[in-house]
Amino acid sequence: MKPSVADPEHHIDPTDFAQAEINKSLSPETKIRLLRDMIRIRRFEETAGKHYNAGKMGGFLHRYDGQESIAVGCASLMGAHDHMITAYRNHGHALSVGMSMEECMAELFGRATGCSKGKGGSMHFFAPDKNYWGGHGIVGGQSPLGAGLAYYVKYKGLKGSCMCFMGDGAVNQGAYHESLNLAGLFDLPVIYVIENNGYSMGTSQARSSVYKNCLAYRADGYDIVWDLINGWDLYEVRAKMQIAVKRAHEESRPTVVEINTYRHYGHSVADSKAKVYRAEDEIERFKQHHDPIQLWRNRLMEEGVITEAVYQELDKAAKAEAVASVDFAEASAYPEFEDITKDVYFEVDEFTEAGRTGRHFFND
Amino acid sequence: MPVITYREAIRHALDEELARDENVVIMGEEVAQYDGAYKVTQGLWKKWGDKRVVDTPISEAGFIGMGIGASMLGVRPVMELMFWSFAYVAWDQMINNAATIRYMSGGKINCPIVIRGPANGGTNVGATHSHTPENFIANTPGLKVVCPATPYDAKGLMKAAIRDNDPVYVMENTVLYGETGEVPDEEYVIPIGVADVKREGSDISLIAHGRAVITCLKAAEILAEEHGIDCEVVDLRSIRPLDEETIIESVRKTNRALCVEENKPFCGVGAQIASLIQDRCFDDLDGPVGRISAVDAPAIYSPPLEKLQLPYPEQVVQKVLAMV
Ligand SMILES: Cc1ncc(C[n+]2csc(CCOP(=O)(O)OP(=O)(O)O)c2C)c(N)n1
Ligand SMILES: [Mg+2]
């Protein structure tokens, strides 16, 4: 078992990831921006949760609280040709790549001003202009798509990658295994990021998967380099992910990383046994000692980058932004009835020649 | 007679069949320790233990296929799909393997499997979670598909499905899980392939399955009270095998037919019924067969819009008024 970081060529001291080149070069402003981005996710999710419970939204709401360092850390490494795709727990990724709280909140409220015009809902946010490809509701369904986005990057000879996120439960979908084989066989610059929060709904990792060492180690069987990351340390996320990004850019080779993390709340807001399958003290322990936001905040205080006042300021701003996004959503209109059958076919929407031959829709 | 929920009715069927036949095994994601995502299997793991009620990883192709394989030797798996929408991950197993193994072996192998779970829109879970594949299944010879609308039917059909020696795919509905109805304590089984006239009437036949039956019953009430129109509501219960005689008998009596379903229109169940009616009741008809289906697009998330995407009572009322 040889995780990629152990390779001396990367010059990484596993006892201090702050010293990795990619982190040493961070300006204080950028460090503060990373903190701000994590806080924004936390406040967005809290605000969404509150309004979900008040009956303002339908469907599911899968909150990202506790996992913020992963989306923010990974997004901070993205360049012009790096892409991102994930599953249904996708609000953090969406905000990390620069989607606005307004368009995201409006989507949750089912409004026409939402990022998917109210058509996708909580699980299905997209922003292709920001290299963000969703937001996918079917567990593991995004894994071949991630390979495909990387295929484009390689096909066009670009220096880029696709970061494809998934949960610890998704690694047992066949599509994921087929994707790994394809990625290895075709030298695709894809990075599979397993956000391991220990549970898939009410099922612990031990009850859902058999594995040697760790879930990422399964990649070894496909001759794909892998790594294991402490998700609550933003420096570590960035340092190790950067190695994978570099591998994608320079060698066009895939990587599988497993990032340990924890979700603070239930699988979705409606999780009848959220406090049954996870012991209360386990939840408390992670909130107290492994909260990526608190750890990053402490780190930046130690480094003298921020003061408590700066942190409070960021937090206040994030809260205000979240509240404003609700106002925006509530002031927005719902889609029109006619919108239900729009965005189904390109050719019909664009009224092209192909869209005008034959019948496309079959209601009266 | 005891009044219980649709969810409890299915649970009672599972419980009774677990007791009746030691080969019955319940399997699926979160069905055991979590008591089921929609609590259909609540308490069964506690009562029956690890051998009979089994939690699976999120590997639909794998565990559904495993169930099909086990059924070939006589295990009688009752597989839960948390949503029928996730069946697409296991489509090859369900369509290629389960439906054809008997045929391709010249009748030497049976596949007594039940695959069950909710197949419905209307809960704002978006396009990936709102599929209603009963028409796809019914399009596949070798498979049976039933769509119960009431607690009574849900229990009786589930028991028949488990005892059936062919693959039976049962499509439930999360919107109906909490609905209540009378279910007797005494054992009963509803044969698959027998429709049920849920309301007798003389002016028009409303032909439906699943939740659309409930929609039709509400519409029929409004039509009777406010418009003096007497609707007959035929609940198909089973899509394949299809009880053609009950449909024909009803249309011969009312001379008008409206097919209502929550499925999409193209090659939907209503299309098959309409074809049957024009074939067998052409001279009895006073007008063309009508159809109401979901608005023909992927399921929209936006809650007030999704409400309009699926058939609703007032829509049925308007359609009937235009037809009679
Ligand atoms: C194919 C499929 N099967 C089942 C589900 C229902 N489901 C949604 S999320 C989930 C658990 C996934 O857990 P994990 O991959 O660990 O991600 P996490 O929720 O922890 O982020 C399940 C079973 C689904 N959406 N798609
Ligand atoms: Mg998980």
Coordinates of all heavy atoms in Angstrom, one line a residue, chain B residues 218-250:
Chain B
K218 N -62.2 11.0 -6.9 CA -62.6 12.4 -6.4 C -63.3 13.1 -7.5 O -64.3 13.8 -7.3 CB -61.3 13.1 -6.1 CG -60.7 12.7 -4.7 CD -59.5 13.5 -4.4 CE -58.8 13.0 -3.1 NZ -57.4 13.2 -3.0
A219 N -62.8 13.0 -8.7 CA -63.5 13.6 -9.9 C -64.9 13.1 -10.1 O -65.8 13.9 -10.3 CB -62.7 13.4 -11.2
A220 N -65.1 11.8 -9.9 CA -66.4 11.2 -10.0 C -67.4 11.8 -9.0 O -68.6 12.0 -9.4 CB -66.3 9.7 -9.9
E221 N -66.9 12.1 -7.8 CA -67.8 12.6 -6.8 C -68.2 14.0 -7.2 O -69.4 14.4 -7.1 CB -67.0 12.7 -5.5 CG -67.7 12.1 -4.3 CD -66.7 11.8 -3.2 OE1 -66.4 12.7 -2.5 OE2 -66.3 10.6 -3.2
I222 N -67.2 14.8 -7.7 CA -67.6 16.2 -8.1 C -68.6 16.1 -9.3 O -69.5 16.9 -9.3 CB -66.3 16.9 -8.5 CG1 -65.3 17.1 -7.3 CG2 -66.6 18.3 -9.1 CD1 -63.9 17.6 -7.7
L223 N -68.3 15.2 -10.2 CA -69.1 15.2 -11.4 C -70.6 14.7 -11.0 O -71.5 15.2 -11.6 CB -68.5 14.2 -12.4 CG -67.3 14.8 -13.2 CD1 -66.5 13.7 -13.8 CD2 -67.8 15.7 -14.3
A224 N -70.7 13.9 -10.1 CA -72.0 13.4 -9.6 C -72.7 14.6 -8.9 O -73.9 14.9 -9.2 CB -71.9 12.2 -8.7
E225 N -72.0 15.2 -8.0 CA -72.7 16.2 -7.2 C -73.0 17.5 -7.9 O -74.1 18.0 -7.8 CB -71.8 16.6 -6.0 CG -72.0 15.6 -4.8 CD -70.9 15.8 -3.7 OE1 -70.4 16.9 -3.6 OE2 -70.6 14.8 -3.0
E226 N -72.0 17.9 -8.7 CA -72.2 19.2 -9.4 C -72.7 19.2 -10.8 O -73.2 20.2 -11.3 CB -70.8 20.0 -9.3 CG -70.4 20.3 -7.9 CD -69.0 20.9 -7.8 OE1 -68.5 21.4 -8.9 OE2 -68.4 20.9 -6.8
H227 N -72.6 18.0 -11.4 CA -73.0 18.0 -12.8 C -73.9 16.9 -13.2 O -74.3 16.7 -14.3 CB -71.7 17.9 -13.7 CG -70.7 19.0 -13.4 ND1 -70.9 20.2 -14.0 CD2 -69.6 19.0 -12.7 CE1 -69.8 21.0 -13.5 NE2 -69.1 20.3 -12.8
G228 N -74.3 16.1 -12.2 CA -75.2 15.0 -12.4 C -74.7 13.9 -13.4 O -75.4 13.3 -14.1
I229 N -73.4 13.8 -13.5 CA -72.8 12.8 -14.4 C -72.3 11.6 -13.5 O -71.6 11.8 -12.5 CB -71.6 13.4 -15.2 CG1 -72.2 14.5 -16.1 CG2 -70.9 12.3 -16.0 CD1 -71.1 15.3 -16.8
D230 N -72.7 10.5 -14.0 CA -72.5 9.2 -13.2 C -71.3 8.4 -13.8 O -71.4 7.8 -14.8 CB -73.8 8.4 -13.3 CG -73.8 7.2 -12.4 OD1 -73.0 7.2 -11.5 OD2 -74.6 6.3 -12.6
C231 N -70.1 8.6 -13.2 CA -68.9 7.9 -13.7 C -68.7 6.5 -13.1 O -69.0 6.3 -11.9 CB -67.7 8.7 -13.3 SG -67.7 10.4 -13.9
E232 N -68.2 5.6 -13.9 CA -67.8 4.4 -13.4 C -66.2 4.4 -13.3 O -65.6 5.0 -14.3 CB -68.2 3.2 -14.4 CG -67.7 1.9 -13.9 CD -68.7 0.7 -14.2 OE1 -69.8 0.9 -13.8 OE2 -68.3 -0.2 -15.0
V233 N -65.7 4.0 -12.2 CA -64.2 4.0 -12.1 C -63.7 2.6 -12.1 O -64.0 1.8 -11.2 CB -63.8 4.8 -10.8 CG1 -62.2 4.8 -10.7 CG2 -64.3 6.2 -10.9
V234 N -62.9 2.3 -13.1 CA -62.3 1.0 -13.2 C -60.8 1.1 -12.8 O -60.1 1.8 -13.4 CB -62.4 0.4 -14.7 CG1 -61.7 -0.9 -14.8 CG2 -63.8 0.3 -15.1
D235 N -60.5 0.3 -11.8 CA -59.1 0.3 -11.3 C -58.5 -1.0 -11.9 O -58.8 -2.1 -11.6 CB -59.1 0.2 -9.7 CG -57.7 0.1 -9.2 OD1 -56.7 0.0 -10.0 OD2 -57.6 0.0 -7.9
L236 N -57.5 -0.7 -12.7 CA -56.8 -1.9 -13.4 C -56.1 -2.8 -12.4 O -56.0 -4.0 -12.6 CB -55.8 -1.4 -14.4 CG -56.4 -0.5 -15.6 CD1 -55.2 0.0 -16.4 CD2 -57.3 -1.4 -16.4
R237 N -55.6 -2.2 -11.4 CA -54.8 -2.9 -10.4 C -53.5 -3.6 -11.0 O -52.4 -3.4 -10.5 CB -55.6 -4.0 -9.6 CG -56.8 -3.3 -8.8 CD -57.2 -4.2 -7.7 NE -57.9 -5.4 -8.1 CZ -58.8 -6.1 -7.4 NH1 -59.0 -5.8 -6.1 NH2 -59.4 -7.2 -7.8
S238 N -53.8 -4.4 -12.0 CA -52.6 -5.1 -12.6 C -52.6 -4.6 -14.1 O -53.6 -4.5 -14.7 CB -52.9 -6.6 -12.5 OG -52.2 -7.3 -13.5
I239 N -51.4 -4.2 -14.5 CA -51.2 -3.7 -15.9 C -51.0 -4.9 -16.8 O -51.5 -4.9 -17.9 CB -50.1 -2.7 -16.0 CG1 -50.2 -1.6 -14.9 CG2 -50.0 -2.0 -17.3 CD1 -51.4 -0.8 -14.9
R240 N -50.1 -5.8 -16.4 CA -49.9 -7.0 -17.2 C -49.7 -8.1 -16.2 O -48.8 -8.0 -15.3 CB -48.6 -6.8 -18.0 CG -48.3 -8.1 -18.9 CD -47.2 -7.8 -19.8 NE -47.1 -9.0 -20.7 CZ -46.7 -9.0 -22.0 NH1 -46.4 -7.8 -22.5 NH2 -46.6 -10.0 -22.7
P241 N -50.5 -9.1 -16.1 CA -51.7 -9.3 -17.0 C -52.8 -8.3 -16.9 O -53.0 -7.8 -15.8 CB -52.2 -10.7 -16.6 CG -51.7 -10.9 -15.2 CD -50.4 -10.2 -15.1
L242 N -53.5 -8.0 -18.0 CA -54.5 -7.0 -18.0 C -55.9 -7.6 -18.1 O -56.1 -8.5 -18.9 CB -54.3 -6.1 -19.2 CG -55.2 -4.9 -19.4 CD1 -54.9 -3.9 -18.4 CD2 -55.0 -4.3 -20.8
D243 N -56.8 -7.2 -17.2 CA -58.1 -7.7 -17.2 C -59.0 -7.0 -18.3 O -59.6 -6.0 -18.0 CB -58.7 -7.4 -15.8 CG -60.1 -8.0 -15.7 OD1 -60.7 -8.5 -16.7 OD2 -60.7 -7.9 -14.5
E244 N -58.9 -7.5 -19.5 CA -59.6 -6.8 -20.6 C -61.1 -6.9 -20.5 O -61.8 -6.0 -20.8 CB -59.1 -7.4 -21.9 CG -57.6 -7.2 -22.2 CD -57.2 -7.5 -23.6 OE1 -57.8 -8.4 -24.3 OE2 -56.2 -6.9 -24.1
E245 N -61.6 -8.0 -19.9 CA -63.0 -8.2 -19.9 C -63.7 -7.1 -19.1 O -64.8 -6.6 -19.4 CB -63.4 -9.6 -19.5 CG -62.9 -10.7 -20.4 CD -63.2 -10.4 -21.9 OE1 -64.4 -10.0 -22.2 OE2 -62.3 -10.5 -22.7
T246 N -63.1 -6.8 -17.9 CA -63.8 -5.8 -17.0 C -63.8 -4.4 -17.7 O -64.8 -3.7 -17.6 CB -63.0 -5.7 -15.7 OG1 -63.1 -7.0 -15.1 CG2 -63.6 -4.7 -14.8
I247 N -62.8 -4.1 -18.5 CA -62.7 -2.9 -19.2 C -63.8 -2.9 -20.3 O -64.6 -1.9 -20.4 CB -61.4 -2.6 -19.9 CG1 -60.2 -2.6 -18.8 CG2 -61.4 -1.4 -20.7 CD1 -58.8 -2.7 -19.4
I248 N -63.9 -3.9 -21.0 CA -64.8 -4.0 -22.1 C -66.3 -3.9 -21.6 O -67.1 -3.2 -22.1 CB -64.6 -5.3 -22.9 CG1 -63.3 -5.1 -23.7 CG2 -65.7 -5.6 -23.8 CD1 -62.7 -6.4 -24.1
E249 N -66.5 -4.7 -20.6 CA -67.8 -4.7 -20.0 C -68.3 -3.3 -19.5 O -69.4 -2.9 -19.7 CB -67.8 -5.7 -18.7 CG -69.1 -6.3 -18.4 CD -68.9 -7.2 -17.2 OE1 -68.1 -8.2 -17.3 OE2 -69.5 -6.9 -16.1
S250 N -67.3 -2.6 -18.9 CA -67.7 -1.3 -18.4 C -68.0 -0.3 -19.6 O -69.0 0.4 -19.6 CB -66.5 -0.7 -17.6 OG -66.7 0.6 -17.2

